[in-house]
Amino acid sequence: MELASSVTEYLRPVADAFVFINTTKVHPIWFPYALAPTLHAARISMVFQSNARKSPTPLSWGTYIFGFLIMAWGGGLLSHFWLGLPPPMLYSFHPAINYISVHLFFTLLFQAFPDLLYPPILDTVFWPVDALLRANAVTLTLGLFASPNVHPDYRNSPLAHFLLGAIASSGGGLSAATFSLWSPNWTFSTPPPLRAGAGWAGTLDIWGGSLVALIYSSTTHHPAFTSLHTYTTLILSSPLLSGTRKPHADSDFPPLNSLEAKSLAGVVLGLFFAARVIKQHWLIPLSPAQVPSKPTAITSPSKKAKKKVQ
């Protein structure tokens, strides 16, 4: 119980942040949408516009709006389709109103102040928000397993949890990059994570979602991870890690509630997000021209003259 109590105490600020973004509305009357989807729309708009600026040809309004929506909703659409559930974006107007209005607002903002759209600064400032939003999206999507319409084989499979976490985390960004949705002419290409040199940072959106699913589902003692919990409990209660072996080790490692598990997953994912920001924006490798060359020996004129005389 001490372990669970200490985890709960340290994760309380993160848990409060999750509650805040999921329950607080932008405005109760004029914009009655929660902060979580609104912030998500804002961050996707920033990334989409940053990539669209690289296109030499301007985008049509249809390409600009639908490309953004696919990037924002790709993970949710794919997750619901895979589980055989209807996506909310296809039967309610509210997601479209929320996301399109936010996208248009930031479009006008960056048109008026183009220098504000500077990815290194934006990514550095918003990485904690990005981690919260990503962990929030993955854990909410994992909640779809509780639907009675989901096949039990999906619900009770650890692999299904990993796949759903990866899809919820990277589905939209992967779709946008694979089809170049921020360009005037959409074309199919090799997904960026499969290209040479992607590395851990280039694939973080994929395996990071699976990591969140692992942490969340295992710490809440989901039945799909019963074997993992059993072996983990035996290891943590062994004489090597514990002063005395407890006869009922399971009672020492009770399950976390959903909010605590989400907070733990968000903290772990946030550490990787921070490392990626540092690697991609602030630890820039030197170009060949910037690499200092080896010092060469300098011969004085007097020595040159002596060599000629000899």
PDB file of all heavy atoms in Angstrom, residues 94-128:
ATOM      1  N   HIS A  94     -20.644  18.681 -33.654  1.00  0.00           N
ATOM      2  CA  HIS A  94     -19.826  19.406 -32.682  1.00  0.00           C
ATOM      3  C   HIS A  94     -18.319  19.248 -32.894  1.00  0.00           C
ATOM      4  O   HIS A  94     -17.582  20.248 -32.789  1.00  0.00           O
ATOM      5  CB  HIS A  94     -20.214  18.980 -31.264  1.00  0.00           C
ATOM      6  CG  HIS A  94     -21.579  19.445 -30.867  1.00  0.00           C
ATOM      7  ND1 HIS A  94     -21.876  20.771 -30.633  1.00  0.00           N
ATOM      8  CD2 HIS A  94     -22.748  18.756 -30.679  1.00  0.00           C
ATOM      9  CE1 HIS A  94     -23.156  20.897 -30.310  1.00  0.00           C
ATOM     10  NE2 HIS A  94     -23.708  19.682 -30.328  1.00  0.00           N
ATOM     11  N   PRO A  95     -17.793  18.048 -33.176  1.00  0.00           N
ATOM     12  CA  PRO A  95     -16.347  17.973 -33.442  1.00  0.00           C
ATOM     13  C   PRO A  95     -15.918  18.844 -34.611  1.00  0.00           C
ATOM     14  O   PRO A  95     -14.869  19.502 -34.549  1.00  0.00           O
ATOM     15  CB  PRO A  95     -16.127  16.486 -33.727  1.00  0.00           C
ATOM     16  CG  PRO A  95     -17.226  15.789 -33.001  1.00  0.00           C
ATOM     17  CD  PRO A  95     -18.408  16.701 -33.130  1.00  0.00           C
ATOM     18  N   ALA A  96     -16.722  18.869 -35.682  1.00  0.00           N
ATOM     19  CA  ALA A  96     -16.367  19.691 -36.846  1.00  0.00           C
ATOM     20  C   ALA A  96     -16.383  21.173 -36.488  1.00  0.00           C
ATOM     21  O   ALA A  96     -15.482  21.936 -36.879  1.00  0.00           O
ATOM     22  CB  ALA A  96     -17.321  19.401 -37.998  1.00  0.00           C
ATOM     23  N   ILE A  97     -17.398  21.602 -35.745  1.00  0.00           N
ATOM     24  CA  ILE A  97     -17.471  23.016 -35.344  1.00  0.00           C
ATOM     25  C   ILE A  97     -16.262  23.387 -34.494  1.00  0.00           C
ATOM     26  O   ILE A  97     -15.629  24.436 -34.703  1.00  0.00           O
ATOM     27  CB  ILE A  97     -18.784  23.279 -34.582  1.00  0.00           C
ATOM     28  CG1 ILE A  97     -19.986  23.071 -35.498  1.00  0.00           C
ATOM     29  CG2 ILE A  97     -18.792  24.691 -34.005  1.00  0.00           C
ATOM     30  CD1 ILE A  97     -21.322  23.155 -34.786  1.00  0.00           C
ATOM     31  N   ASN A  98     -15.934  22.547 -33.542  1.00  0.00           N
ATOM     32  CA  ASN A  98     -14.815  22.820 -32.650  1.00  0.00           C
ATOM     33  C   ASN A  98     -13.504  22.904 -33.425  1.00  0.00           C
ATOM     34  O   ASN A  98     -12.776  23.904 -33.348  1.00  0.00           O
ATOM     35  CB  ASN A  98     -14.738  21.721 -31.583  1.00  0.00           C
ATOM     36  CG  ASN A  98     -13.708  22.016 -30.507  1.00  0.00           C
ATOM     37  OD1 ASN A  98     -13.122  23.094 -30.458  1.00  0.00           O
ATOM     38  ND2 ASN A  98     -13.474  21.050 -29.633  1.00  0.00           N
ATOM     39  N   TYR A  99     -13.191  21.880 -34.208  1.00  0.00           N
ATOM     40  CA  TYR A  99     -11.884  21.802 -34.856  1.00  0.00           C
ATOM     41  C   TYR A  99     -11.737  22.814 -35.987  1.00  0.00           C
ATOM     42  O   TYR A  99     -10.682  23.466 -36.114  1.00  0.00           O
ATOM     43  CB  TYR A  99     -11.634  20.381 -35.355  1.00  0.00           C
ATOM     44  CG  TYR A  99     -11.098  19.469 -34.286  1.00  0.00           C
ATOM     45  CD1 TYR A  99     -11.941  18.935 -33.307  1.00  0.00           C
ATOM     46  CD2 TYR A  99      -9.751  19.133 -34.228  1.00  0.00           C
ATOM     47  CE1 TYR A  99     -11.449  18.114 -32.305  1.00  0.00           C
ATOM     48  CE2 TYR A  99      -9.253  18.302 -33.241  1.00  0.00           C
ATOM     49  CZ  TYR A  99     -10.101  17.793 -32.281  1.00  0.00           C
ATOM     50  OH  TYR A  99      -9.612  16.989 -31.293  1.00  0.00           O
ATOM     51  N   ILE A 100     -12.738  22.968 -36.808  1.00  0.00           N
ATOM     52  CA  ILE A 100     -12.621  23.893 -37.940  1.00  0.00           C
ATOM     53  C   ILE A 100     -12.522  25.339 -37.458  1.00  0.00           C
ATOM     54  O   ILE A 100     -11.723  26.132 -37.979  1.00  0.00           O
ATOM     55  CB  ILE A 100     -13.799  23.715 -38.913  1.00  0.00           C
ATOM     56  CG1 ILE A 100     -13.729  22.333 -39.570  1.00  0.00           C
ATOM     57  CG2 ILE A 100     -13.794  24.805 -39.979  1.00  0.00           C
ATOM     58  CD1 ILE A 100     -14.906  22.035 -40.482  1.00  0.00           C
ATOM     59  N   SER A 101     -13.314  25.697 -36.462  1.00  0.00           N
ATOM     60  CA  SER A 101     -13.255  27.076 -35.953  1.00  0.00           C
ATOM     61  C   SER A 101     -11.895  27.375 -35.344  1.00  0.00           C
ATOM     62  O   SER A 101     -11.335  28.475 -35.546  1.00  0.00           O
ATOM     63  CB  SER A 101     -14.371  27.308 -34.934  1.00  0.00           C
ATOM     64  OG  SER A 101     -14.254  26.419 -33.836  1.00  0.00           O
ATOM     65  N   VAL A 102     -11.335  26.426 -34.596  1.00  0.00           N
ATOM     66  CA  VAL A 102     -10.009  26.632 -34.015  1.00  0.00           C
ATOM     67  C   VAL A 102      -8.957  26.739 -35.121  1.00  0.00           C
ATOM     68  O   VAL A 102      -8.056  27.598 -35.067  1.00  0.00           O
ATOM     69  CB  VAL A 102      -9.664  25.485 -33.044  1.00  0.00           C
ATOM     70  CG1 VAL A 102      -8.203  25.570 -32.601  1.00  0.00           C
ATOM     71  CG2 VAL A 102     -10.569  25.530 -31.824  1.00  0.00           C
ATOM     72  N   HIS A 103      -9.070  25.895 -36.135  1.00  0.00           N
ATOM     73  CA  HIS A 103      -8.110  25.921 -37.242  1.00  0.00           C
ATOM     74  C   HIS A 103      -8.167  27.257 -37.982  1.00  0.00           C
ATOM     75  O   HIS A 103      -7.122  27.839 -38.319  1.00  0.00           O
ATOM     76  CB  HIS A 103      -8.414  24.769 -38.193  1.00  0.00           C
ATOM     77  CG  HIS A 103      -7.424  24.608 -39.300  1.00  0.00           C
ATOM     78  ND1 HIS A 103      -6.055  24.734 -39.112  1.00  0.00           N
ATOM     79  CD2 HIS A 103      -7.598  24.337 -40.631  1.00  0.00           C
ATOM     80  CE1 HIS A 103      -5.438  24.530 -40.266  1.00  0.00           C
ATOM     81  NE2 HIS A 103      -6.349  24.306 -41.192  1.00  0.00           N
ATOM     82  N   LEU A 104      -9.349  27.771 -38.226  1.00  0.00           N
ATOM     83  CA  LEU A 104      -9.491  29.056 -38.912  1.00  0.00           C
ATOM     84  C   LEU A 104      -8.958  30.200 -38.047  1.00  0.00           C
ATOM     85  O   LEU A 104      -8.342  31.152 -38.565  1.00  0.00           O
ATOM     86  CB  LEU A 104     -10.957  29.300 -39.277  1.00  0.00           C
ATOM     87  CG  LEU A 104     -11.548  28.362 -40.328  1.00  0.00           C
ATOM     88  CD1 LEU A 104     -13.022  28.675 -40.552  1.00  0.00           C
ATOM     89  CD2 LEU A 104     -10.774  28.451 -41.642  1.00  0.00           C
ATOM     90  N   PHE A 105      -9.189  30.109 -36.740  1.00  0.00           N
ATOM     91  CA  PHE A 105      -8.678  31.157 -35.844  1.00  0.00           C
ATOM     92  C   PHE A 105      -7.151  31.224 -35.904  1.00  0.00           C
ATOM     93  O   PHE A 105      -6.567  32.312 -36.032  1.00  0.00           O
ATOM     94  CB  PHE A 105      -9.138  30.892 -34.411  1.00  0.00           C
ATOM     95  CG  PHE A 105      -8.479  31.782 -33.398  1.00  0.00           C
ATOM     96  CD1 PHE A 105      -8.926  33.081 -33.203  1.00  0.00           C
ATOM     97  CD2 PHE A 105      -7.404  31.316 -32.628  1.00  0.00           C
ATOM     98  CE1 PHE A 105      -8.312  33.917 -32.267  1.00  0.00           C
ATOM     99  CE2 PHE A 105      -6.792  32.143 -31.697  1.00  0.00           C
ATOM    100  CZ  PHE A 105      -7.252  33.445 -31.524  1.00  0.00           C
ATOM    101  N   PHE A 106      -6.499  30.077 -35.815  1.00  0.00           N
ATOM    102  CA  PHE A 106      -5.035  30.078 -35.842  1.00  0.00           C
ATOM    103  C   PHE A 106      -4.502  30.379 -37.242  1.00  0.00           C
ATOM    104  O   PHE A 106      -3.382  30.883 -37.374  1.00  0.00           O
ATOM    105  CB  PHE A 106      -4.496  28.748 -35.314  1.00  0.00           C
ATOM    106  CG  PHE A 106      -4.453  28.681 -33.815  1.00  0.00           C
ATOM    107  CD1 PHE A 106      -5.517  28.141 -33.104  1.00  0.00           C
ATOM    108  CD2 PHE A 106      -3.372  29.185 -33.113  1.00  0.00           C
ATOM    109  CE1 PHE A 106      -5.484  28.097 -31.721  1.00  0.00           C
ATOM    110  CE2 PHE A 106      -3.335  29.148 -31.735  1.00  0.00           C
ATOM    111  CZ  PHE A 106      -4.395  28.601 -31.035  1.00  0.00           C
ATOM    112  N   THR A 107      -5.281  30.091 -38.260  1.00  0.00           N
ATOM    113  CA  THR A 107      -4.873  30.497 -39.605  1.00  0.00           C
ATOM    114  C   THR A 107      -4.808  32.013 -39.706  1.00  0.00           C
ATOM    115  O   THR A 107      -3.828  32.579 -40.210  1.00  0.00           O
ATOM    116  CB  THR A 107      -5.863  29.943 -40.645  1.00  0.00           C
ATOM    117  OG1 THR A 107      -5.860  28.507 -40.579  1.00  0.00           O
ATOM    118  CG2 THR A 107      -5.473  30.389 -42.049  1.00  0.00           C
ATOM    119  N   LEU A 108      -5.840  32.692 -39.212  1.00  0.00           N
ATOM    120  CA  LEU A 108      -5.842  34.154 -39.223  1.00  0.00           C
ATOM    121  C   LEU A 108      -4.733  34.713 -38.325  1.00  0.00           C
ATOM    122  O   LEU A 108      -4.085  35.711 -38.669  1.00  0.00           O
ATOM    123  CB  LEU A 108      -7.205  34.675 -38.763  1.00  0.00           C
ATOM    124  CG  LEU A 108      -8.398  34.351 -39.668  1.00  0.00           C
ATOM    125  CD1 LEU A 108      -9.697  34.828 -39.032  1.00  0.00           C
ATOM    126  CD2 LEU A 108      -8.218  34.987 -41.052  1.00  0.00           C
ATOM    127  N   LEU A 109      -4.507  34.069 -37.190  1.00  0.00           N
ATOM    128  CA  LEU A 109      -3.479  34.539 -36.268  1.00  0.00           C
ATOM    129  C   LEU A 109      -2.098  34.492 -36.914  1.00  0.00           C
ATOM    130  O   LEU A 109      -1.329  35.477 -36.850  1.00  0.00           O
ATOM    131  CB  LEU A 109      -3.498  33.689 -34.999  1.00  0.00           C
ATOM    132  CG  LEU A 109      -2.411  34.001 -33.963  1.00  0.00           C
ATOM    133  CD1 LEU A 109      -2.595  35.402 -33.385  1.00  0.00           C
ATOM    134  CD2 LEU A 109      -2.414  32.960 -32.842  1.00  0.00           C
ATOM    135  N   PHE A 110      -1.775  33.375 -37.556  1.00  0.00           N
ATOM    136  CA  PHE A 110      -0.443  33.243 -38.138  1.00  0.00           C
ATOM    137  C   PHE A 110      -0.314  33.985 -39.475  1.00  0.00           C
ATOM    138  O   PHE A 110       0.800  34.232 -39.930  1.00  0.00           O
ATOM    139  CB  PHE A 110      -0.104  31.763 -38.309  1.00  0.00           C
ATOM    140  CG  PHE A 110       0.070  31.038 -36.998  1.00  0.00           C
ATOM    141  CD1 PHE A 110      -0.602  29.852 -36.756  1.00  0.00           C
ATOM    142  CD2 PHE A 110       0.892  31.545 -36.009  1.00  0.00           C
ATOM    143  CE1 PHE A 110      -0.449  29.185 -35.544  1.00  0.00           C
ATOM    144  CE2 PHE A 110       1.048  30.899 -34.797  1.00  0.00           C
ATOM    145  CZ  PHE A 110       0.375  29.717 -34.565  1.00  0.00           C
ATOM    146  N   GLN A 111      -1.441  34.320 -40.093  1.00  0.00           N
ATOM    147  CA  GLN A 111      -1.380  35.199 -41.252  1.00  0.00           C
ATOM    148  C   GLN A 111      -1.038  36.620 -40.813  1.00  0.00           C
ATOM    149  O   GLN A 111      -0.288  37.338 -41.486  1.00  0.00           O
ATOM    150  CB  GLN A 111      -2.724  35.184 -41.996  1.00  0.00           C
ATOM    151  CG  GLN A 111      -3.001  33.922 -42.792  1.00  0.00           C
ATOM    152  CD  GLN A 111      -2.089  33.789 -44.007  1.00  0.00           C
ATOM    153  OE1 GLN A 111      -1.620  34.774 -44.551  1.00  0.00           O
ATOM    154  NE2 GLN A 111      -1.835  32.553 -44.416  1.00  0.00           N
ATOM    155  N   ALA A 112      -1.598  37.035 -39.691  1.00  0.00           N
ATOM    156  CA  ALA A 112      -1.330  38.381 -39.187  1.00  0.00           C
ATOM    157  C   ALA A 112       0.047  38.479 -38.543  1.00  0.00           C
ATOM    158  O   ALA A 112       0.717  39.516 -38.659  1.00  0.00           O
ATOM    159  CB  ALA A 112      -2.412  38.785 -38.192  1.00  0.00           C
ATOM    160  N   PHE A 113       0.465  37.399 -37.864  1.00  0.00           N
ATOM    161  CA  PHE A 113       1.771  37.398 -37.192  1.00  0.00           C
ATOM    162  C   PHE A 113       2.539  36.135 -37.598  1.00  0.00           C
ATOM    163  O   PHE A 113       2.624  35.163 -36.838  1.00  0.00           O
ATOM    164  CB  PHE A 113       1.593  37.434 -35.674  1.00  0.00           C
ATOM    165  CG  PHE A 113       0.745  38.577 -35.184  1.00  0.00           C
ATOM    166  CD1 PHE A 113      -0.608  38.380 -34.880  1.00  0.00           C
ATOM    167  CD2 PHE A 113       1.271  39.851 -35.054  1.00  0.00           C
ATOM    168  CE1 PHE A 113      -1.388  39.428 -34.431  1.00  0.00           C
ATOM    169  CE2 PHE A 113       0.496  40.907 -34.600  1.00  0.00           C
ATOM    170  CZ  PHE A 113      -0.832  40.709 -34.295  1.00  0.00           C
ATOM    171  N   PRO A 114       3.073  36.120 -38.813  1.00  0.00           N
ATOM    172  CA  PRO A 114       3.716  34.896 -39.324  1.00  0.00           C
ATOM    173  C   PRO A 114       4.922  34.441 -38.506  1.00  0.00           C
ATOM    174  O   PRO A 114       5.241  33.251 -38.492  1.00  0.00           O
ATOM    175  CB  PRO A 114       4.120  35.286 -40.751  1.00  0.00           C
ATOM    176  CG  PRO A 114       4.173  36.773 -40.753  1.00  0.00           C
ATOM    177  CD  PRO A 114       3.137  37.222 -39.784  1.00  0.00           C
ATOM    178  N   ASP A 115       5.600  35.363 -37.837  1.00  0.00           N
ATOM    179  CA  ASP A 115       6.786  34.977 -37.075  1.00  0.00           C
ATOM    180  C   ASP A 115       6.446  34.135 -35.844  1.00  0.00           C
ATOM    181  O   ASP A 115       7.337  33.502 -35.264  1.00  0.00           O
ATOM    182  CB  ASP A 115       7.549  36.226 -36.631  1.00  0.00           C
ATOM    183  CG  ASP A 115       8.173  36.963 -37.808  1.00  0.00           C
ATOM    184  OD1 ASP A 115       8.363  36.335 -38.858  1.00  0.00           O
ATOM    185  OD2 ASP A 115       8.448  38.180 -37.672  1.00  0.00           O
ATOM    186  N   LEU A 116       5.190  34.139 -35.438  1.00  0.00           N
ATOM    187  CA  LEU A 116       4.797  33.328 -34.283  1.00  0.00           C
ATOM    188  C   LEU A 116       4.842  31.834 -34.586  1.00  0.00           C
ATOM    189  O   LEU A 116       4.977  31.021 -33.676  1.00  0.00           O
ATOM    190  CB  LEU A 116       3.388  33.710 -33.823  1.00  0.00           C
ATOM    191  CG  LEU A 116       3.203  35.096 -33.215  1.00  0.00           C
ATOM    192  CD1 LEU A 116       1.732  35.309 -32.847  1.00  0.00           C
ATOM    193  CD2 LEU A 116       4.090  35.278 -31.994  1.00  0.00           C
ATOM    194  N   LEU A 117       4.722  31.487 -35.859  1.00  0.00           N
ATOM    195  CA  LEU A 117       4.711  30.068 -36.247  1.00  0.00           C
ATOM    196  C   LEU A 117       6.150  29.593 -36.425  1.00  0.00           C
ATOM    197  O   LEU A 117       6.661  29.454 -37.534  1.00  0.00           O
ATOM    198  CB  LEU A 117       3.910  29.872 -37.539  1.00  0.00           C
ATOM    199  CG  LEU A 117       3.634  28.418 -37.948  1.00  0.00           C
ATOM    200  CD1 LEU A 117       2.892  27.677 -36.848  1.00  0.00           C
ATOM    201  CD2 LEU A 117       2.841  28.371 -39.240  1.00  0.00           C
ATOM    202  N   TYR A 118       6.805  29.362 -35.320  1.00  0.00           N
ATOM    203  CA  TYR A 118       8.203  28.919 -35.304  1.00  0.00           C
ATOM    204  C   TYR A 118       8.268  27.609 -34.524  1.00  0.00           C
ATOM    205  O   TYR A 118       8.239  27.596 -33.293  1.00  0.00           O
ATOM    206  CB  TYR A 118       9.081  29.987 -34.662  1.00  0.00           C
ATOM    207  CG  TYR A 118      10.554  29.682 -34.717  1.00  0.00           C
ATOM    208  CD1 TYR A 118      11.201  29.433 -35.922  1.00  0.00           C
ATOM    209  CD2 TYR A 118      11.313  29.635 -33.537  1.00  0.00           C
ATOM    210  CE1 TYR A 118      12.552  29.148 -35.965  1.00  0.00           C
ATOM    211  CE2 TYR A 118      12.664  29.355 -33.571  1.00  0.00           C
ATOM    212  CZ  TYR A 118      13.276  29.119 -34.793  1.00  0.00           C
ATOM    213  OH  TYR A 118      14.627  28.834 -34.837  1.00  0.00           O
ATOM    214  N   PRO A 119       8.314  26.456 -35.222  1.00  0.00           N
ATOM    215  CA  PRO A 119       8.197  25.146 -34.570  1.00  0.00           C
ATOM    216  C   PRO A 119       9.141  24.904 -33.401  1.00  0.00           C
ATOM    217  O   PRO A 119       8.697  24.338 -32.379  1.00  0.00           O
ATOM    218  CB  PRO A 119       8.453  24.159 -35.717  1.00  0.00           C
ATOM    219  CG  PRO A 119       8.022  24.893 -36.934  1.00  0.00           C
ATOM    220  CD  PRO A 119       8.395  26.332 -36.691  1.00  0.00           C
ATOM    221  N   PRO A 120      10.432  25.261 -33.461  1.00  0.00           N
ATOM    222  CA  PRO A 120      11.285  24.971 -32.293  1.00  0.00           C
ATOM    223  C   PRO A 120      10.776  25.591 -30.998  1.00  0.00           C
ATOM    224  O   PRO A 120      10.802  24.950 -29.945  1.00  0.00           O
ATOM    225  CB  PRO A 120      12.643  25.574 -32.715  1.00  0.00           C
ATOM    226  CG  PRO A 120      12.641  25.506 -34.199  1.00  0.00           C
ATOM    227  CD  PRO A 120      11.220  25.788 -34.599  1.00  0.00           C
ATOM    228  N   ILE A 121      10.305  26.832 -31.078  1.00  0.00           N
ATOM    229  CA  ILE A 121       9.802  27.481 -29.864  1.00  0.00           C
ATOM    230  C   ILE A 121       8.463  26.890 -29.450  1.00  0.00           C
ATOM    231  O   ILE A 121       8.224  26.606 -28.265  1.00  0.00           O
ATOM    232  CB  ILE A 121       9.670  28.997 -30.084  1.00  0.00           C
ATOM    233  CG1 ILE A 121      11.048  29.602 -30.353  1.00  0.00           C
ATOM    234  CG2 ILE A 121       9.020  29.663 -28.890  1.00  0.00           C
ATOM    235  CD1 ILE A 121      12.031  29.438 -29.215  1.00  0.00           C
ATOM    236  N   LEU A 122       7.572  26.688 -30.421  1.00  0.00           N
ATOM    237  CA  LEU A 122       6.249  26.152 -30.096  1.00  0.00           C
ATOM    238  C   LEU A 122       6.342  24.755 -29.508  1.00  0.00           C
ATOM    239  O   LEU A 122       5.669  24.438 -28.520  1.00  0.00           O
ATOM    240  CB  LEU A 122       5.374  26.143 -31.350  1.00  0.00           C
ATOM    241  CG  LEU A 122       4.988  27.512 -31.917  1.00  0.00           C
ATOM    242  CD1 LEU A 122       4.206  27.346 -33.216  1.00  0.00           C
ATOM    243  CD2 LEU A 122       4.165  28.306 -30.908  1.00  0.00           C
ATOM    244  N   ASP A 123       7.174  23.906 -30.105  1.00  0.00           N
ATOM    245  CA  ASP A 123       7.318  22.542 -29.588  1.00  0.00           C
ATOM    246  C   ASP A 123       7.942  22.538 -28.192  1.00  0.00           C
ATOM    247  O   ASP A 123       7.597  21.697 -27.350  1.00  0.00           O
ATOM    248  CB  ASP A 123       8.179  21.710 -30.538  1.00  0.00           C
ATOM    249  CG  ASP A 123       7.482  21.438 -31.856  1.00  0.00           C
ATOM    250  OD1 ASP A 123       6.269  21.665 -31.940  1.00  0.00           O
ATOM    251  OD2 ASP A 123       8.164  21.014 -32.816  1.00  0.00           O
ATOM    252  N   THR A 124       8.863  23.457 -27.951  1.00  0.00           N
ATOM    253  CA  THR A 124       9.507  23.528 -26.643  1.00  0.00           C
ATOM    254  C   THR A 124       8.530  24.011 -25.575  1.00  0.00           C
ATOM    255  O   THR A 124       8.513  23.500 -24.454  1.00  0.00           O
ATOM    256  CB  THR A 124      10.722  24.464 -26.706  1.00  0.00           C
ATOM    257  OG1 THR A 124      11.632  23.997 -27.716  1.00  0.00           O
ATOM    258  CG2 THR A 124      11.432  24.517 -25.365  1.00  0.00           C
ATOM    259  N   VAL A 125       7.711  24.982 -25.924  1.00  0.00           N
ATOM    260  CA  VAL A 125       6.758  25.531 -24.956  1.00  0.00           C
ATOM    261  C   VAL A 125       5.626  24.559 -24.669  1.00  0.00           C
ATOM    262  O   VAL A 125       5.188  24.398 -23.521  1.00  0.00           O
ATOM    263  CB  VAL A 125       6.196  26.875 -25.471  1.00  0.00           C
ATOM    264  CG1 VAL A 125       5.053  27.357 -24.586  1.00  0.00           C
ATOM    265  CG2 VAL A 125       7.296  27.929 -25.529  1.00  0.00           C
ATOM    266  N   PHE A 126       5.169  23.849 -25.714  1.00  0.00           N
ATOM    267  CA  PHE A 126       3.959  23.040 -25.575  1.00  0.00           C
ATOM    268  C   PHE A 126       4.212  21.548 -25.370  1.00  0.00           C
ATOM    269  O   PHE A 126       3.251  20.776 -25.384  1.00  0.00           O
ATOM    270  CB  PHE A 126       3.075  23.214 -26.822  1.00  0.00           C
ATOM    271  CG  PHE A 126       2.373  24.540 -26.889  1.00  0.00           C
ATOM    272  CD1 PHE A 126       2.783  25.520 -27.780  1.00  0.00           C
ATOM    273  CD2 PHE A 126       1.303  24.823 -26.059  1.00  0.00           C
ATOM    274  CE1 PHE A 126       2.141  26.747 -27.854  1.00  0.00           C
ATOM    275  CE2 PHE A 126       0.650  26.034 -26.115  1.00  0.00           C
ATOM    276  CZ  PHE A 126       1.072  27.007 -27.009  1.00  0.00           C
ATOM    277  N   TRP A 127       5.459  21.122 -25.155  1.00  0.00           N
ATOM    278  CA  TRP A 127       5.665  19.682 -25.028  1.00  0.00           C
ATOM    279  C   TRP A 127       4.910  19.085 -23.832  1.00  0.00           C
ATOM    280  O   TRP A 127       4.419  17.944 -23.927  1.00  0.00           O
ATOM    281  CB  TRP A 127       7.153  19.323 -24.979  1.00  0.00           C
ATOM    282  CG  TRP A 127       7.891  19.693 -23.732  1.00  0.00           C
ATOM    283  CD1 TRP A 127       8.681  20.770 -23.538  1.00  0.00           C
ATOM    284  CD2 TRP A 127       7.905  18.970 -22.490  1.00  0.00           C
ATOM    285  NE1 TRP A 127       9.184  20.790 -22.261  1.00  0.00           N
ATOM    286  CE2 TRP A 127       8.729  19.692 -21.588  1.00  0.00           C
ATOM    287  CE3 TRP A 127       7.301  17.795 -22.045  1.00  0.00           C
ATOM    288  CZ2 TRP A 127       8.968  19.273 -20.280  1.00  0.00           C
ATOM    289  CZ3 TRP A 127       7.535  17.379 -20.739  1.00  0.00           C
ATOM    290  CH2 TRP A 127       8.361  18.108 -19.874  1.00  0.00           C
ATOM    291  N   PRO A 128       4.778  19.779 -22.674  1.00  0.00           N
ATOM    292  CA  PRO A 128       3.961  19.159 -21.618  1.00  0.00           C
ATOM    293  C   PRO A 128       2.502  19.009 -22.030  1.00  0.00           C
ATOM    294  O   PRO A 128       1.855  18.011 -21.693  1.00  0.00           O
ATOM    295  CB  PRO A 128       4.120  20.142 -20.436  1.00  0.00           C
ATOM    296  CG  PRO A 128       5.333  20.950 -20.737  1.00  0.00           C
ATOM    297  CD  PRO A 128       5.367  21.058 -22.226  1.00  0.00           C
TER     298      PRO A 128
END
